[in-house]
Short mmCIF file of all heavy atoms in Angstrom, two decimals:
data_model
loop_
_atom_site.label_atom_id
_atom_site.label_comp_id
_atom_site.label_asym_id
_atom_site.label_seq_id
_atom_site.Cartn_x
_atom_site.Cartn_y
_atom_site.Cartn_z
N TRP A 1255 60.23 -33.36 5.20
CA TRP A 1255 58.75 -33.04 4.79
C TRP A 1255 58.14 -34.00 3.81
O TRP A 1255 57.00 -34.27 3.82
CB TRP A 1255 58.68 -31.63 4.24
CG TRP A 1255 58.96 -30.56 5.26
CD1 TRP A 1255 60.04 -29.76 5.45
CD2 TRP A 1255 58.01 -30.29 6.27
NE1 TRP A 1255 59.94 -28.99 6.44
CE2 TRP A 1255 58.76 -29.27 7.12
CE3 TRP A 1255 56.87 -30.70 6.68
CZ2 TRP A 1255 58.09 -28.72 8.27
CZ3 TRP A 1255 56.35 -30.22 7.87
CH2 TRP A 1255 56.92 -29.16 8.64
N HIS A 1257 58.86 -37.23 3.70
CA HIS A 1257 58.43 -38.41 4.43
C HIS A 1257 57.19 -38.05 5.31
O HIS A 1257 56.31 -38.98 5.42
CB HIS A 1257 59.60 -38.78 5.46
CG HIS A 1257 59.30 -40.15 6.24
ND1 HIS A 1257 58.95 -40.04 7.49
CD2 HIS A 1257 59.23 -41.34 5.80
CE1 HIS A 1257 58.71 -41.24 7.92
NE2 HIS A 1257 58.94 -42.08 6.97
N ALA A 1258 57.10 -36.85 5.80
CA ALA A 1258 55.88 -36.55 6.53
C ALA A 1258 54.63 -36.57 5.60
O ALA A 1258 53.59 -36.97 6.05
CB ALA A 1258 56.00 -35.15 7.15
N GLN A 1261 53.63 -40.09 5.11
CA GLN A 1261 52.92 -40.67 6.31
C GLN A 1261 51.44 -40.19 6.34
O GLN A 1261 50.60 -40.93 6.61
CB GLN A 1261 53.68 -40.24 7.53
CG GLN A 1261 55.05 -40.94 7.72
CD GLN A 1261 54.77 -42.48 7.93
OE1 GLN A 1261 53.98 -42.85 8.71
NE2 GLN A 1261 55.64 -43.22 7.27
N ARG A 1262 51.25 -38.88 6.00
CA ARG A 1262 49.92 -38.30 6.03
C ARG A 1262 49.10 -39.06 4.91
O ARG A 1262 47.94 -39.34 5.07
CB ARG A 1262 49.89 -36.84 5.84
CG ARG A 1262 50.39 -36.05 6.94
CD ARG A 1262 50.13 -34.56 6.78
NE ARG A 1262 50.59 -34.07 5.62
CZ ARG A 1262 51.84 -33.51 5.41
NH1 ARG A 1262 52.76 -33.55 6.46
NH2 ARG A 1262 52.35 -33.09 4.26
N ILE A 1309 45.34 -44.25 16.94
CA ILE A 1309 46.84 -44.37 17.16
C ILE A 1309 47.57 -44.06 15.87
O ILE A 1309 48.64 -43.36 15.93
CB ILE A 1309 47.05 -45.81 17.63
CG1 ILE A 1309 46.58 -46.04 19.04
CG2 ILE A 1309 48.60 -46.06 17.58
CD1 ILE A 1309 46.52 -47.41 19.51
N ASP A 1310 47.03 -44.51 14.79
CA ASP A 1310 47.66 -44.26 13.48
C ASP A 1310 47.77 -42.73 13.16
O ASP A 1310 48.64 -42.27 12.68
CB ASP A 1310 47.00 -45.00 12.33
CG ASP A 1310 47.73 -44.98 11.07
OD1 ASP A 1310 48.89 -44.65 11.00
OD2 ASP A 1310 47.20 -45.39 10.02
N PHE A 1311 46.66 -42.12 13.56
CA PHE A 1311 46.60 -40.63 13.38
C PHE A 1311 47.79 -39.96 14.06
O PHE A 1311 48.55 -39.17 13.50
CB PHE A 1311 45.36 -39.99 13.88
CG PHE A 1311 45.36 -38.53 13.94
CD1 PHE A 1311 45.14 -37.76 12.86
CD2 PHE A 1311 45.52 -37.90 15.19
CE1 PHE A 1311 45.24 -36.33 12.85
CE2 PHE A 1311 45.57 -36.47 15.22
CZ PHE A 1311 45.37 -35.76 14.11
N PHE A 1312 47.97 -40.26 15.33
CA PHE A 1312 49.10 -39.62 16.12
C PHE A 1312 50.47 -40.09 15.55
O PHE A 1312 51.37 -39.19 15.44
CB PHE A 1312 48.89 -39.99 17.60
CG PHE A 1312 47.87 -39.30 18.28
CD1 PHE A 1312 46.72 -40.00 18.79
CD2 PHE A 1312 47.83 -37.91 18.49
CE1 PHE A 1312 45.73 -39.29 19.32
CE2 PHE A 1312 46.81 -37.24 19.08
CZ PHE A 1312 45.77 -37.96 19.47
N TRP A 1313 50.58 -41.36 15.17
CA TRP A 1313 51.85 -41.77 14.58
C TRP A 1313 52.12 -41.03 13.33
O TRP A 1313 53.21 -40.53 13.13
CB TRP A 1313 51.75 -43.28 14.40
CG TRP A 1313 52.98 -43.88 13.78
CD1 TRP A 1313 53.29 -44.00 12.51
CD2 TRP A 1313 54.16 -44.35 14.50
NE1 TRP A 1313 54.57 -44.49 12.33
CE2 TRP A 1313 55.13 -44.72 13.63
CE3 TRP A 1313 54.46 -44.46 15.85
CZ2 TRP A 1313 56.32 -45.31 13.97
CZ3 TRP A 1313 55.68 -44.94 16.20
CH2 TRP A 1313 56.62 -45.37 15.34
N SER A 1314 51.26 -41.01 12.44
CA SER A 1314 51.42 -40.46 11.11
C SER A 1314 51.71 -38.94 11.16
O SER A 1314 52.56 -38.43 10.46
CB SER A 1314 50.21 -40.72 10.19
OG SER A 1314 49.97 -42.11 10.01
N PHE A 1315 50.98 -38.26 11.99
CA PHE A 1315 51.08 -36.77 12.02
C PHE A 1315 52.26 -36.35 12.93
O PHE A 1315 52.64 -35.18 12.88
CB PHE A 1315 49.80 -36.09 12.45
CG PHE A 1315 48.82 -35.95 11.21
CD1 PHE A 1315 48.03 -37.14 10.90
CD2 PHE A 1315 48.77 -34.87 10.39
CE1 PHE A 1315 47.10 -37.05 9.74
CE2 PHE A 1315 47.92 -34.86 9.33
CZ PHE A 1315 47.18 -35.89 8.99
N SER A 1316 52.83 -37.30 13.70
CA SER A 1316 53.95 -36.94 14.50
C SER A 1316 55.18 -36.48 13.57
O SER A 1316 55.92 -35.66 13.88
CB SER A 1316 54.35 -38.07 15.38
OG SER A 1316 54.90 -39.16 14.60
N TYR A 1317 55.17 -37.08 12.26
CA TYR A 1317 56.21 -36.77 11.38
C TYR A 1317 56.01 -35.37 10.76
O TYR A 1317 56.99 -34.78 10.40
CB TYR A 1317 56.27 -37.77 10.27
CG TYR A 1317 56.69 -39.14 10.68
CD1 TYR A 1317 55.81 -40.23 10.97
CD2 TYR A 1317 58.08 -39.50 10.86
CE1 TYR A 1317 56.26 -41.39 11.46
CE2 TYR A 1317 58.53 -40.68 11.36
CZ TYR A 1317 57.56 -41.63 11.56
OH TYR A 1317 58.05 -42.89 12.06
N THR A 1318 54.79 -34.89 10.86
CA THR A 1318 54.47 -33.49 10.38
C THR A 1318 55.02 -32.53 11.54
O THR A 1318 55.58 -31.51 11.11
CB THR A 1318 53.03 -33.29 10.09
OG1 THR A 1318 52.61 -34.21 9.06
CG2 THR A 1318 52.71 -31.89 9.73
N LEU A 1319 54.85 -32.86 12.70
CA LEU A 1319 55.21 -32.02 13.78
C LEU A 1319 56.82 -32.11 14.01
O LEU A 1319 57.36 -31.13 14.39
CB LEU A 1319 54.59 -32.42 15.14
CG LEU A 1319 52.99 -32.30 15.17
CD1 LEU A 1319 52.53 -32.82 16.40
CD2 LEU A 1319 52.68 -30.82 14.98
N PHE A 1320 57.32 -33.27 13.72
CA PHE A 1320 58.85 -33.47 13.98
C PHE A 1320 59.42 -33.96 12.64
O PHE A 1320 59.96 -35.11 12.74
CB PHE A 1320 59.09 -34.41 15.13
CG PHE A 1320 58.35 -34.00 16.40
CD1 PHE A 1320 57.29 -34.66 16.79
CD2 PHE A 1320 58.79 -32.90 17.11
CE1 PHE A 1320 56.55 -34.33 17.95
CE2 PHE A 1320 58.15 -32.46 18.27
CZ PHE A 1320 56.98 -33.29 18.71
N PRO A 1321 59.51 -33.26 11.55
CA PRO A 1321 59.92 -33.73 10.34
C PRO A 1321 61.43 -34.02 10.20
O PRO A 1321 61.89 -34.90 9.48
CB PRO A 1321 59.57 -32.68 9.28
CG PRO A 1321 59.53 -31.46 10.02
CD PRO A 1321 58.99 -31.87 11.43
N SER A 1322 62.20 -33.33 11.03
CA SER A 1322 63.73 -33.59 10.91
C SER A 1322 64.12 -34.85 11.51
O SER A 1322 65.11 -35.36 11.13
CB SER A 1322 64.32 -32.41 11.73
OG SER A 1322 64.05 -32.46 13.08
N SER A 1323 63.32 -35.45 12.41
CA SER A 1323 63.65 -36.81 12.94
C SER A 1323 63.06 -37.95 12.19
O SER A 1323 63.20 -39.11 12.46
CB SER A 1323 63.16 -36.90 14.35
OG SER A 1323 61.67 -36.86 14.47
N SER A 1324 62.36 -37.60 11.06
CA SER A 1324 61.73 -38.67 10.26
C SER A 1324 62.75 -39.13 9.25
O SER A 1324 63.24 -38.46 8.36
CB SER A 1324 60.40 -38.21 9.60
OG SER A 1324 60.70 -37.04 8.78
#
Side-chain angles (χ1 to χ4, degrees):
W1255 290 110
H1257 185 253
Q1261 290 294 316
R1262 288 189 307 272
I1309 292 168
D1310 191 13
F1311 169 80
F1312 288 112
W1313 180 269
S1314 299
F1315 281 85
S1316 70
Y1317 291 100
T1318 300
L1319 296 174
F1320 309 105
S1322 61
S1323 64
S1324 60

